[in-house]
Amino acid sequence: MEYASLNDGVKIPKVGFGTFQIPADGSAYRTVREALAAGYRHIDTAAAYFNEEEVGRAIKDSGILREEIFLTTKLWLQDYGYEQGKKGIERSLRHLGTYIDLMLIHQPYGDVVGAWKAMEEYKQAEDIRSLGVSNMTPSLWRKLAPELASIPSVNQVEFNPYYQQKEIRELMAKDKVDLEAWAPLGRGSKELFAEPVLTRLAEKYHKDAGQIILRFEVQEGCIALPHSTKPKRMRTNLEIFDFELTEDEMDSIRRLDKGHGTHNPDAPGVEEKLRKAFVIKD
C-alpha cells in the first residue's frame, strides 16, 4: 500500500474499500472483514449507508490494531446545522464504536457551515482526525468552501477515466485538497472496461482493465475507493503497486474523458430527491 499526506498532515491509504449498498444484514460485517484480510486498511462508510455498526464491529473483530486502519464516514443531510450536526456525529461515533479518521459532509446542500462547525469541535476534541466534503462541483465549491472555517482535506466525488473532474481538481489544487474517487471503476461499465487502450495496457502489464484504471487514478493523484463483495476482486484491486504507467500511456487514458458522469449535484431537484431517499432514524 502507498499513502498520501492530506493538507492537514494526516496520512491516508491511496486505495480504500467502499461499502455503499452493502446491507447491514451481516453482509457489511462479513465483507469488511474480508476486505481487511485482503489487505485494505482504509474503509469508507456513511450514516446514509446504514451499515456503520457492522463496519465498526468488523474493524474491532479484525484483530488489526485500530491505528493501522483509516476509517471514513459521512454526515447526512438531515444532520446539517450546528446542533443537529453534533447529534449526527455522536450517532456515528456510537454506531462505529471508535474514533473517526475522516468525516465528510456527504451532500453539499443546506446548513453545511453549521455542520462544519460541529465537525470542527469534534476534531479539536480528537474524536475526528480530519474533515472533508463530498460531491462538490466547481460551482458548489466556489460557493461553500470560502464559508468554511478551515480548508477541507478531501472532496470525494465521482471519478473514473470517463469523468476526470478537471475543473474541480484545478480549484482544489490551490489548497492542496485531495480528490477521493467514488465509482472509480465507472460502476463496472462494460463500455469502459472494453476500451481498447485499457485492454492493450492490461495485456502489456499482465493485469486486467480494472487494475489499469485504478493505477491510472492513483498516478493522477487520486485516492480510489473501489467496491466489491467478491474476495478475488478485492485482492486484485489492490495489486496495482507493482507497475507504473508511462506518461504517454497516462495521456492515452486522459483522452477517454467525456466530461460528465452519472450524478450531477448541480441538477434541479437532486437535494429533494436525496432527502427523501435516505432518512436516518436514531
Side-chain angles (χ1 to χ4, degrees):
M1 180 56 66
E2 294 179 0
Y3 291 76
S5 291
L6 300 176
N7 59 14
D8 56 7
V10 173
K11 289 188 176 182
I12 182 171
K14 290 184 179 181
V15 177
F17 184 78
T19 64
F20 179 53
Q21 292 183 327
I22 303 180
D25 58 1
S27 300
Y29 175 83
R30 180 180 65 256
T31 304
V32 172
R33 287 290 303 271
E34 290 172 344
L36 292 168
Y40 289 87
R41 293 296 180 267
H42 177 181
I43 306 297
D44 181 277
T45 184
Y49 297 174
F50 302 101
N51 59 18
E52 285 180 316
E53 289 182 272
E54 289 199 11
V55 168
R57 189 157 50 87
I59 289 172
K60 181 180 179 181
D61 293 348
S62 69
I64 300 168
L65 293 175
R66 172 64 184 87
E67 56 266 31
E68 294 181 8
I69 299 172
F70 193 96
L71 175 61
T72 298
T73 194
K74 309 174 190 76
L75 199 64
W76 188 243
L77 283 162
Q78 70 185 49
D79 292 322
Y80 290 4
Y82 176 65
E83 291 298 337
Q84 197 60 34
K86 290 193 291 185
K87 292 179 182 178
I89 296 166
E90 286 288 350
R91 185 193 308 114
S92 285
L93 288 168
R94 184 172 68 252
H95 285 176
L96 292 165
T98 184
Y99 65 90
I100 297 163
D101 291 286
L102 173 64
M103 184 165 234
L104 307 181
I105 294 288
H106 201 158
Q107 302 291 343
Y109 314 109
D111 189 1
V112 169
V113 175
W116 190 265
K117 182 180 178 182
M119 288 162 58
E120 287 269 14
E121 288 191 7
Y122 279 80
K123 181 181 178 182
Q124 291 172 5
E126 300 184 348
D127 292 308
I128 304 172
R129 297 178 64 221
S130 193
L131 305 179
V133 296
S134 185
N135 295 302
M136 276 204 186
T137 62
S139 61
L140 288 164
W141 183 269
R142 292 187 182 97
K143 174 186 175 182
L144 293 170
E147 298 182 12
L148 303 179
S150 59
I151 299 168
S153 60
V154 305
N155 182 18
Q156 186 179 125
V157 294
E158 182 179 5
F159 183 97
N160 58 68
Y162 279 168
Y163 189 27
Q164 296 178 33
Q165 297 275 12
K166 293 177 181 177
E167 185 179 358
I168 189 66
R169 288 163 66 195
E170 289 178 4
L171 290 173
M172 290 159 51
K174 299 173 184 177
D175 293 311
K176 298 181 179 179
V177 179
D178 278 89
L179 183 146
E180 284 192 319
W182 64 256
L185 297 172
R187 300 179 185 267
S189 164
K190 292 182 179 179
E191 180 187 3
L192 176 60
F193 275 65
E195 284 287 350
V197 62
L198 299 177
T199 57
R200 285 197 301 268
L201 290 172
E203 183 177 359
K204 173 184 175 180
Y205 289 105
H206 305 289
K207 297 291 183 178
D208 60 40
Q211 291 168 311
I212 298 299
I213 292 169
L214 293 172
R215 181 67 212 180
F216 165 76
E217 292 166 351
V218 167
Q219 284 187 222
E220 279 290 88
C222 301
I223 298 161
L225 300 170
H227 163 97
S228 179
T229 57
K230 299 177 181 179
K232 181 179 179 181
R233 173 56 65 184
M234 290 180 194
R235 292 191 299 271
T236 58
N237 284 343
L238 284 179
E239 294 170 357
I240 63 168
F241 298 106
D242 56 352
F243 73 105
E244 186 171 335
L245 299 170
T246 68
E247 190 59 26
D248 285 344
E249 290 166 348
M250 291 289 289
D251 281 340
S252 70
I253 300 175
R254 291 179 183 122
R255 287 194 286 272
L256 296 177
D257 189 18
K258 296 183 177 182
H260 61 84
T262 62
H263 175 61
N264 180 10
D266 290 326
V270 172
E271 178 182 356
E272 292 75 12
K273 182 179 178 180
L274 289 169
R275 286 186 183 276
K276 292 178 180 178
F278 302 96
V279 180
I280 301 167
K281 298 179 181 178
D282 290 325

